[in-house]
Amino acid sequence: MTGKLRSLLYLTLAVALLGALPACSERAESPAAADVTPVSGPADDTVAAVATDGNPFFEEWDTPYGIPPFDRIRDEHYKPAFDRAIEELRAEIAAIRDDPEPPTFENTIEALQLAGGSLNRVSDTFSNITNTDTNDVLKELEVEINPILTREMDAIYLDEKIFARVNAVYEQLDGLGLDEQARRLVELTHLDFVRQGAALDTAGRERMKEINARLSELSTVFGQNLLEETNGFELVVKDEKDLAGLPDNMIGSAKAKAESKGIEDGWLFGLDRGTFEGFMTFAANRELRKQMYEGYRARGGQGGARDNRDEISEIALLRSEAAQLLGYENHAAYQLETRMAKTPATAQDFLLEVWKPGLKRADEELAEMQAIVQSEGHDFLIEGHDWWYYAEKLRQQKYALNETELKPYFELGNVRQGAFYVAKRLFGVTFEPLTGVPVWNPVVKAYKVTGSEGEFLGVYMTDDYARDSKRGGAWMSTYRSTSNIRGDNIRPIVTNNLNLAVPADGEPTLLSYDQVETVFHEFGHALHGLMTQVRYPRFSGTAGSPRDFVEFPSQFMEHYATEPEVLAIYARHFGTGEVIPQELVSKVRSASTHNQGFKTTEYIAASLLDLKWHELTPKQAAAVEDVVKFEDEVMAAYGKPAIIETRYRSPYFAHIFAGGYSAGYYAYLWSEILDADGFTAFKKTGDIFDPELAQRLKKNVYEAGASQDADVLYRQFRGQEPTIEPLLQIRGLN
Ligand SMILES: [Zn+2]
């Protein structure tokens, strides 16, 4: 239930207009070069000739369910496909702009929703593949293509004639006789244009283009630097004694990883979050824990070519300048305008309401852990690199619960069946394995998803394992978005990505409880994407929902993971099939508030840091000389204890500098008001699958996407406003 680091991949800029254009411009994994030359002109004949030669992007896909033909897509197909798709988009946009007919809902607003179909197809595939199976060729292409996509989007949003048409429809809105969804589409499309700068004068629009292009490059560089910094760290253990405390599966993975790098007689540990947390929790060797901890915290801020500090300064400055150009005080005010929280002050006040009890609890936790150190006959004071390790000891002491005892009951395939069970019970949604369909990596599994009336909902694909070519973390994204504009009922292809360590040969994939929650979490996003029943891509599931609402459907699902009724389905011993003993279940449940002081503190610290970076005016941003000093001052002002590190320090805070979460990291906790309140409503009925409540949840949340304002949707589901008490209760902070 905690504010997890899981992210949701999508891009707000393009999605606002085209519905599904994926992660390329906002999300930013890629570009490096400051290429400011104009977009290359129409694809010339040579390119076109090469392009059509067996390029799957130039054909209709006759694959099952229209899944991309991954087996046939090669790296060199993307560029010509992008070139041609961009030409098509330009032609579609020109047709809208130069239409001699007066602007109408159909020929302007709806036409904009329909534009860019080919571009969506290639960029949906490209952005997913560059996140899961990148290589030098694809990285280079990202560097090239992301600024081009940013410029293409700007060319639409900042086009005077198109905006004049959008504006004309908007001004006649009341007389158009549109239904609720169409009306909302007009309002949001108009707002999207205004927020991108369409109403600015010529000079303002030109400056917006420059800023957007540069921001796209900067966030791409940030992401690429971070990936290299993370992969660049290797802790090689040569002496078996130094493995003391580590679980067997971690040791097996480290051995395999060492062998894959040609290290014969050792174990290799990297800095992916799973390995990092596992090592910090279990490794008895204090010195090695310190090395991991320092390595993790140094990323992106240790000088050299992959240092992210200059990028951060420039990003903060440019975001602030863009916000002021649009008439907002700063970037945070701009971002929050369209979220549930509405203003940065509201978000901050909310965070501080939880921050204070979190700090108090963290203090108590520290004292309890220090007592363990003393009782073991040591005299050192606990430091940052000790926290996870002693928190685990404290957990075992207080709850007699240890991870290695639990793990055999959490085999990945079983856990996913548990998530499927919940979807079936709540919503009547079922998952059926698909074989023989194209996949982008041999580890990927695919499922056909069916609704309660037997209707086809979409395809669900899972990619569970870490590899060097994959970015870190866990996320949901789509290969195709839903759309039903003219009765064509296009259903989505949704993916969940995890970064689990590959088990040693022949071993099962066993999860920690935290990883179990992650499976349920991402599955919740997937359901939000799969069940969506809206006409326009602009509103579809996760893509159109405000950032501080979109974590509600995902975090809501996490609550089910610890319910005895659900555990009885999925928590079965991988070897014997025995259901997890009731005694262990009780321990898991009573331990659920364990270490919440620490978790709350590290998360809120990062959320406050994010807001402070984005509350800077351009003048203030320009005055920041040292990124790390700025961060330290912000944290000191809030009274963050030094021993608890911010969940992400600025130089590796990819959510806000390379992802779409700027001024939005608070969103997980904000959404938690909703999921805690919503799940508590189910509990109060005495039935966690209460049919009436489930029906309202389905209709107003999982199917509704962003077809109405988030606060309206929530009230319709819940029948009342949410309150904060269930959140404090569940975290054990009240
Ligand atoms: Zn999420």
Side-chain angles (χ1 to χ4, degrees):
M1 355 259 111
T2 56
K4 295 272 160 53
L5 36 152
R6 303 145 185 156
S7 63
L8 178 70
L9 253 192
Y10 66 85
L11 112 114
T12 49
L13 177 81
V15 110
L17 178 66
L18 300 171
L21 238 193
C24 299
S25 48
E26 261 264 306
R27 229 235 102 221
E29 288 265 288
S30 46
D35 168 17
V36 204
T37 51
V39 185
S40 54
D44 64 34
D45 291 340
T46 340
V47 172
V50 172
T52 44
D53 192 16
N55 188 330
F57 289 108
F58 296 132
E59 301 162 8
E60 288 296 313
W61 292 343
D62 59 0
T63 50
Y65 309 99
I67 294 170
F70 297 107
D71 46 334
R72 295 178 45 227
I73 296 172
R74 297 195 308 272
D75 292 348
E76 63 268 28
H77 290 145
Y78 289 110
K79 184 58 170 64
F82 269 117
D83 287 341
R84 184 187 279 194
I86 286 170
E87 285 315 305
E88 277 183 41
L89 172 67
R90 287 180 182 170
E92 288 162 342
I93 295 297
I96 297 169
R97 180 181 47 225
D98 304 330
D99 191 336
E101 296 296 317
T104 63
F105 173 76
E106 288 75 18
N107 74 18
T108 303
I109 306 292
E110 203 171 69
L112 282 168
Q113 278 286 289
L114 288 164
S118 298
L119 185 55
N120 285 343
R121 194 167 75 148
V122 53
S123 68
D124 278 349
T125 306
F126 180 72
S127 64
N128 275 295
I129 292 299
T130 51
N131 278 313
T132 59
D133 292 278
T134 197
N135 59 44
D136 288 345
V137 173
L138 294 179
K139 280 185 200 164
E140 219 171 281
L141 185 54
E142 277 185 294
V143 172
E144 189 183 340
I145 216 75
N146 284 358
I148 294 176
L149 292 179
T150 302
R151 282 197 295 270
E152 288 301 319
M153 290 304 108
D154 280 351
I156 299 169
Y157 279 116
L158 299 173
D159 183 304
E160 252 178 302
K161 283 187 184 162
I162 293 183
F163 180 59
R165 291 183 73 91
V166 169
N167 202 39
V169 178
Y170 177 71
E171 287 185 341
Q172 310 158 27
L173 188 53
D174 286 335
L176 295 178
L178 298 174
D179 69 7
E180 198 184 346
Q181 263 199 58
R183 207 186 147 85
R184 182 171 167 84
L185 182 66
V186 176
E187 289 169 345
L188 291 188
T189 304
H190 183 261
L191 184 64
D192 291 340
F193 272 82
V194 171
R195 283 171 55 82
Q196 294 299 326
L200 296 175
D201 62 16
T202 311
R205 291 199 304 272
E206 286 312 307
R207 182 61 188 145
M208 282 303 285
K209 286 181 192 171
E210 286 169 17
I211 292 175
N212 289 340
R214 182 66 185 145
L215 281 173
S216 164
E217 290 162 6
L218 287 166
S219 58
T220 301
V221 173
F222 186 103
Q224 291 193 343
N225 282 346
L226 180 54
L227 184 62
E228 286 180 36
E229 286 273 280
T230 304
N231 289 341
F233 176 93
E234 293 181 344
L235 178 75
V236 179
V237 171
K238 292 279 189 179
D239 187 341
E240 202 165 351
K241 285 204 298 286
D242 290 332
L243 301 171
L246 292 172
D248 289 345
N249 67 329
M250 260 193 91
I251 294 172
S253 298
K255 184 82 195 158
K257 190 157 184 188
E259 277 164 7
S260 77
K261 296 271 169 92
I263 302 167
E264 293 291 318
D265 52 344
W267 295 265
L268 177 58
F269 298 91
L271 283 181
D272 59 276
R273 188 77 199 185
T275 303
F276 170 72
E277 281 190 0
F279 198 93
M280 298 308 290
T281 305
F282 298 112
N285 186 318
R286 191 166 184 239
E287 178 51 36
L288 291 183
R289 285 203 312 269
K290 187 172 181 187
Q291 283 179 32
M292 282 293 270
Y293 186 65
E294 299 300 343
Y296 191 80
R297 297 164 75 220
R299 292 175 302 154
Q302 47 193 341
R306 301 183 308 215
D307 195 304
N308 272 330
R309 284 174 293 184
D310 287 347
E311 280 75 16
I312 292 169
S313 301
E314 198 179 343
I315 289 170
L317 177 63
L318 290 176
R319 282 178 177 165
S320 181
E321 187 192 335
Q324 289 211 342
L325 205 53
L326 293 167
Y328 300 86
E329 196 180 345
N330 50 49
H331 182 72
Y334 168 78
Q335 287 289 60
L336 275 284
E337 181 193 30
T338 53
R339 302 223 180 104
M340 274 186 94
K342 301 280 192 275
T343 69
T346 309
Q348 180 181 283
D349 289 351
F350 158 67
L351 289 171
L352 292 180
E353 220 177 310
V354 192
W355 174 247
K356 284 163 204 154
L359 285 179
K360 184 164 160 281
R361 178 54 45 83
D363 261 353
E364 294 159 7
E365 288 163 2
L366 181 58
E368 288 179 298
M369 295 192 300
Q370 190 63 51
I372 297 181
V373 174
Q374 256 71 42
S375 75
E376 288 179 343
H378 301 297
D379 60 358
F380 62 83
L381 287 178
I382 287 197
E383 293 183 60
H385 53 271
D386 297 318
W387 196 295
W388 287 265
Y389 184 71
Y390 284 95
E392 176 61 16
K393 285 201 168 191
L394 182 62
R395 179 163 83 148
Q396 292 184 29
Q397 195 180 79
K398 276 175 103 163
Y399 306 100
L401 179 68
N402 87 46
E403 280 280 333
T404 47
E405 204 184 332
L406 278 176
K407 279 192 158 189
Y409 295 98
F410 297 149
E411 187 275 322
L412 174 63
N414 291 342
V415 172
R416 191 152 277 133
Q417 288 304 321
F420 291 168
Y421 171 81
V422 173
K424 175 90 167 48
R425 289 295 309 274
L426 279 174
F427 307 126
V429 172
T430 53
F431 291 76
E432 180 193 327
L434 282 174
T435 50
V437 301
V439 290
W440 60 92
N441 189 289
V443 303
V444 173
K445 291 191 164 68
Y447 303 85
K448 178 187 175 188
V449 189
T450 306
S452 56
E453 308 295 318
E455 76 281 18
F456 173 65
L457 287 182
V459 173
Y460 174 59
M461 302 177 90
T462 61
D463 180 351
D464 297 317
Y465 297 102
R467 47 188 175 266
D468 282 350
S469 59
K470 190 175 182 180
R471 81 176 184 96
W475 68 93
M476 168 271 194
S477 64
T478 56
Y479 272 96
R480 184 177 66 219
S481 295
T482 185
S483 173
N484 193 15
I485 297 183
R486 289 174 188 165
D488 45 0
N489 196 24
I490 296 163
R491 296 306 307 171
I493 300 170
V494 169
T495 90
N496 273 173
N497 284 272
L498 305 174
N499 263 284
L500 302 172
V502 181
D505 252 357
E507 296 293 318
T509 302
L510 302 180
L511 310 186
S512 66
Y513 184 67
D514 201 54
Q515 289 167 333
V516 171
E517 284 190 331
T518 303
V519 170
F520 276 77
H521 177 103
E522 297 307 334
F523 182 69
H525 282 312
L527 284 178
H528 197 199
L530 286 160
M531 290 168 65
T532 187
Q533 296 291 341
V534 294
R535 202 182 313 150
Y536 303 108
R538 177 68 177 77
F539 308 142
S540 91
T542 53
S545 296
R547 185 68 77 186
D548 50 5
F549 180 78
V550 81
E551 298 300 331
F552 162 45
S554 53
Q555 292 178 170
F556 178 80
M557 292 302 291
E558 292 180 41
H559 293 276
Y560 285 87
T562 37
E563 287 299 316
E565 189 178 344
V566 182
L567 283 161
I569 299 293
Y570 79 85
R572 289 168 176 274
H573 194 283
F574 77 92
T576 65
E578 173 216 7
V579 173
I580 191 169
Q582 190 52 46
E583 178 217 347
L584 260 185
V585 174
S586 308
K587 285 181 187 173
V588 171
R589 292 177 65 81
S590 59
S592 68
T593 56
H594 173 65
N595 207 32
Q596 282 295 340
F598 173 84
K599 289 180 183 169
T600 302
T601 301
E602 66 158 7
Y603 165 79
I604 294 183
S607 306
L608 291 167
L609 176 64
D610 166 33
L611 285 177
K612 288 299 147 193
W613 269 120
H614 295 113
E615 281 175 7
L616 297 174
T617 62
K619 209 172 155 193
Q620 290 166 331
V624 173
E625 276 175 20
D626 182 333
V627 164
V628 172
K629 188 158 160 271
F630 172 83
E631 175 173 327
D632 289 344
E633 284 168 4
V634 167
M635 289 296 104
Y638 285 111
K640 181 186 79 67
I643 189 171
I644 299 181
E645 186 55 281
T646 311
R647 172 91 203 183
Y648 300 100
R649 301 209 63 158
S650 305
Y652 52 89
F653 203 163
H655 281 81
I656 66 167
F657 294 117
Y661 280 78
S662 60
Y665 194 62
Y666 76 93
Y668 294 96
L669 196 66
W670 184 279
S671 291
E672 196 177 319
I673 309 174
L674 308 180
D675 67 70
D677 184 75
F679 188 70
T680 301
F682 275 90
K683 290 290 271 189
K684 278 185 183 157
T685 68
D687 177 4
I688 55 169
F689 299 113
D690 181 72
E692 197 194 319
L693 215 45
Q695 184 56 32
R696 291 214 301 268
L697 181 67
K698 180 180 184 181
K699 184 165 173 289
N700 295 294
V701 178
Y702 287 87
E703 289 184 351
S707 56
Q708 294 184 66
D709 282 345
D711 47 344
V712 174
L713 291 173
Y714 191 82
R715 271 196 306 275
Q716 286 172 2
F717 148 57
R718 184 72 174 87
Q720 65 179 65
E721 298 286 340
T723 61
I724 195 174
E725 281 71 32
L727 179 158
L728 296 173
Q729 176 89 32
I730 287 169
R731 284 195 173 229
L733 297 177
N734 55 353

